[in-house]
Amino acid sequence: MVDYSKWNDKDLDALLDDSDDEDSKIKAPPPSLAASGVDDDRQASKIAESVAAIRIGAASQKNTETKLATSQEMRAELDSLPLSGLYARSLEVYEQIHGNSDVEGCPDTPAERDILIDRALAYLQRADDVSDRAGLFSDNETIEDVKTGDLKYILIPSFVAELLGEQMETDLRAAALKRSEEAYKRFLERCVMMKAAPESCVVACRRVIVEGTNKAVPLQDAATQRAERIARHRREKEVGDKLKMMPDVSRKFAGDDSEEDNGKECVDEAVVRERALLEIEHAVLKVLNEVPMMLQEIEMLEMRAKMAGAGPPRDANGRVGPAMGG
């Protein structure tokens, strides 16, 4: 390793300079040491390696500082925004994640997409905490008792679950899916409790909430559940098509008494409420249709992890290989 204690400030500055003539500066010994015999190729190579290490360390530190500053800015924003602002920001990022290339801020790489997912989850989870502390949804209230401007917040756990399910990093996939399952259960519990779920879906909702696994069922029950799934898929498509035909007026509705509503145009509350109820129904149907596939993936990942941890097969004496008959 090069002893930099003999280098003067001018020489060090030359080494760390980011000019286009970087290679010539690294390869050549500093003027103050040129007369000391530090001009051989071996020493120049050591100098180049040392400078490269310094540059990599500096870049790593800069990235860490940038992430820290971003994290601090995010925390400050989360602390300053009201519930309506948190929800609005989460929808903006959600649209960036699922938008096409025409959407501003749409991610170009999987890494950028993961960053946006983490950002959206931060907004949603803080919004969920705020709504819980505010007691927006009481156990003794039904969907009819909820103000129109607050209906959208019922959907928060379903958005959280959906985004958790989109985290594709292999090592964290199983854990993310389990967290997604818990968020889906919480959403269904809320909808059943508040009578926001379609009557035809209540039994299926309770089945997911209580069991949460793909348990074997009698043939007759399996046939019944299959018919229910077909009916839900049809209804999900019907509701989705209807939502596409309706104007998205929820963000123009000044009905939740928040500062961010100042200046919003007045719209028909009945239209806003109808759309919000349809969005909740659509989310319930979507959850019930997707949860079985998610549970199957969880079981597959758990089985794969168990097999990987078991190691190769061994015989009765503990030796690696197939079991030997006596």
Side-chain angles (χ1 to χ4, degrees), residues 182-210:
E182 292 304 314
Y184 274 138
K185 284 183 179 181
R186 185 163 178 262
F187 170 64
L188 294 179
E189 283 177 336
R190 176 178 289 178
C191 290
V192 170
M193 176 192 72
M194 302 184 67
K195 297 183 179 179
E199 189 63 33
S200 60
C201 296
V202 171
V203 173
C205 288
R206 287 177 175 155
R207 189 185 303 127
V208 171
I209 293 167
V210 175

Side-chain angles (χ1 to χ4, degrees), residues 103-133:
V103 177
E104 184 178 356
C106 182
D108 294 323
T109 66
E112 291 178 358
R113 193 171 191 273
D114 288 342
I115 291 173
L116 287 179
I117 288 176
D118 289 341
R119 190 173 184 84
L121 284 170
Y123 286 127
L124 287 166
Q125 288 165 345
R126 178 57 65 89
D128 205 19
D129 291 341
V130 172
S131 66
D132 282 347
R133 289 199 301 268

Side-chain angles (χ1 to χ4, degrees), residues 78-208:
L78 292 174
D79 291 339
S80 65
L81 287 173
L83 176 57
S84 59
L86 291 165
Y87 189 76
R89 296 288 192 279
S90 70
L91 290 187
E92 290 172 5
V93 182
Y94 181 90
E95 289 175 356
Q96 290 176 340
I97 295 169
H98 298 96
N100 54 39
S101 57
D102 296 332
V103 177
E104 184 178 356
C106 182
D108 294 323
T109 66
E112 291 178 358
R113 193 171 191 273
D114 288 342
I115 291 173
L116 287 179
I117 288 176
D118 289 341
R119 190 173 184 84
L121 284 170
Y123 286 127
L124 287 166
Q125 288 165 345
R126 178 57 65 89
D128 205 19
D129 291 341
V130 172
S131 66
D132 282 347
R133 289 199 301 268
L136 289 185
F137 311 117
S138 173
D139 291 347
N140 57 2
E141 289 182 335
T142 68
I143 194 74
E144 301 299 328
D145 300 316
V146 179
K147 293 191 300 183
T148 299
D150 292 339
L151 285 173
K152 56 182 174 287
Y153 303 131
I154 294 175
L155 293 167
I156 290 176
S158 71
F159 281 124
V160 171
E162 180 182 348
L163 291 171
L164 285 170
E166 293 181 12
Q167 292 182 324
M168 300 304 295
E169 188 173 347
T170 305
D171 295 341
L172 305 175
R173 179 69 176 160
L177 287 176
K178 286 188 175 182
R179 290 175 61 200
S180 177
E181 179 189 358
E182 292 304 314
Y184 274 138
K185 284 183 179 181
R186 185 163 178 262
F187 170 64
L188 294 179
E189 283 177 336
R190 176 178 289 178
C191 290
V192 170
M193 176 192 72
M194 302 184 67
K195 297 183 179 179
E199 189 63 33
S200 60
C201 296
V202 171
V203 173
C205 288
R206 287 177 175 155
R207 189 185 303 127
V208 171

